[in-house]
């Protein structure tokens, strides 16, 4: 497994250096991706034809600014589509958005552990995605299996791709703390904090249908609640109307449920 760890670090460093020295020209949207999106990404299929064109352009803009590489398998079109969608969906309510704190995305074939091991013999392989720090700063790593599950299971409230990109948005002000200054105006910070703590308390008292992991801390609550908002917005509106209203204002959009 050491060779995969070294390979991942090498790829991450290479992507970072290359992204700092050269920006690629934005490529045209591949026509065959339209069907991939319609078949696999409800957020996209629920958009009007005009908004779908905007979404396509935003995907290609993201892919011109961020490199995607695979470790241990050959990258496919659907891999690229799911990564790009994970990036675009949370910020689709804003006309202009660039992930200035991201240069590359690495895809592992399966869940991995803290040592970046994903082999079936490795212990504690429970990580589906991380926003890199230290030697992996400006990088993001996904389990391909977890990434796919987030889009192909349309009845749950989970989406690993969206979860990690929400963390990245949160990190844009320098700290991942559940209070993304890029999305939440200063005057709403205190009401948002009060709501977070009320919801976290409910989770930890087993009085909420929000995923247990959201009760870990403010940052994880924000990411988990965002998954819920984009995966099952109608259910969130019924179960947690105050949270739904705040998330709608935060992301400046009103997504449609698949169910």
């Amino acid at each position: 497994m050491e060779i995969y760890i070294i390979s991942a670090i090498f790829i991450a460093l290479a992507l970072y250096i290359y992204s700092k020295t050269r920006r690629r020209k934005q490529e045209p949207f591949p026509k065959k991706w339209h069907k991939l999106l319609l078949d696999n990404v409800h957020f996209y299929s629920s958009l009007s034809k005009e908004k779908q064109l905007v979404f396509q352009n935003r995907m290609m803009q993201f892919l011109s600014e961020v490199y995607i590489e695979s470790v241990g398998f050959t990258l496919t079109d659907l891999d690229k589509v799911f990564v790009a969608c994970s990036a675009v969906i949370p910020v689709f309510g804003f006309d202009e958005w660039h992930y200035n704190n991201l240069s590359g995305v690495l895809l592992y074939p399966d869940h991995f552990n803290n040592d970046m091991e994903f082999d079936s013999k490795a212990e504690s392989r429970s990580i589906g995605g991380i926003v890199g720090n230290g030697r992996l700063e400006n990088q993001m790593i996904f389990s391909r299996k977890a990434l796919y599950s987030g889009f192909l299971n349309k009845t749950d409230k989970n989406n690993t791709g969206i979860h990690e990109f929400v963390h990245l948005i949160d990190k844009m002000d320098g700290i991942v703390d559940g209070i993304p200054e890029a999305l939440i105006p200063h005057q709403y910070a205190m009401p948002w904090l009060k709501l977070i703590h009320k919801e976290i308390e409910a989770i930890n008292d087993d009085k909420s249908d929000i995923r247990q992991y959201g009760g870990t801390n403010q940052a994880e609550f924000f990411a988990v609640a965002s998954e819920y908002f984009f995966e099952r917005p109608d259910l969130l509106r019924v179960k947690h109307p105050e949270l739904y209203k705040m998330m709608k204002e935060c992301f400046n959009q009103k997504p449609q449920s698949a169910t």
Side-chain angles (χ1 to χ4, degrees), residues 82-102:
F82 282 159
V83 172
C85 285
S86 299
V88 172
I89 287 172
V91 295
F92 192 61
F94 304 96
D95 292 335
E96 186 76 18
W97 190 280
H98 300 275
Y99 286 99
N100 297 320
N101 55 346
L102 181 68

Side-chain angles (χ1 to χ4, degrees), residues 4 13 78 82 94 98 100-101 103 120 124 156 198 217 219 228 246 252:
Y4 285 122
L13 290 173
L78 194 55
F82 282 159
F94 304 96
H98 300 275
N100 297 320
N101 55 346
S103 57
S120 59
S124 305
D156 65 2
K198 183 178 77 171
N217 54 47
Y228 195 153
M246 187 69 80
N252 193 35

Side-chain angles (χ1 to χ4, degrees), residues 75-163:
L75 199 67
T76 69
D77 283 348
L78 194 55
D79 296 332
K80 297 175 186 177
V81 164
F82 282 159
V83 172
C85 285
S86 299
V88 172
I89 287 172
V91 295
F92 192 61
F94 304 96
D95 292 335
E96 186 76 18
W97 190 280
H98 300 275
Y99 286 99
N100 297 320
N101 55 346
L102 181 68
S103 57
V105 176
L106 301 181
L107 287 184
Y108 279 4
D110 207 337
H111 290 72
F112 49 95
N113 59 25
N114 289 323
D115 294 322
M116 303 301 167
E117 297 173 328
F118 55 82
D119 186 85
S120 59
K121 296 179 181 179
E123 297 181 354
S124 305
R125 295 185 305 112
S126 60
I127 303 175
I130 62 168
V131 174
N133 289 296
R135 64 190 181 186
L136 293 176
E137 188 70 29
N138 295 308
Q139 307 299 312
M140 186 178 286
I141 301 177
F142 282 121
S143 151
R144 185 195 206 189
K145 184 176 181 179
L147 181 67
Y148 272 55
S149 177
F151 285 99
L152 300 183
N153 188 336
K154 297 179 173 62
T155 60
D156 65 2
K157 308 160 191 168
N158 307 334
N159 187 300
T160 296
I162 289 174
H163 183 107

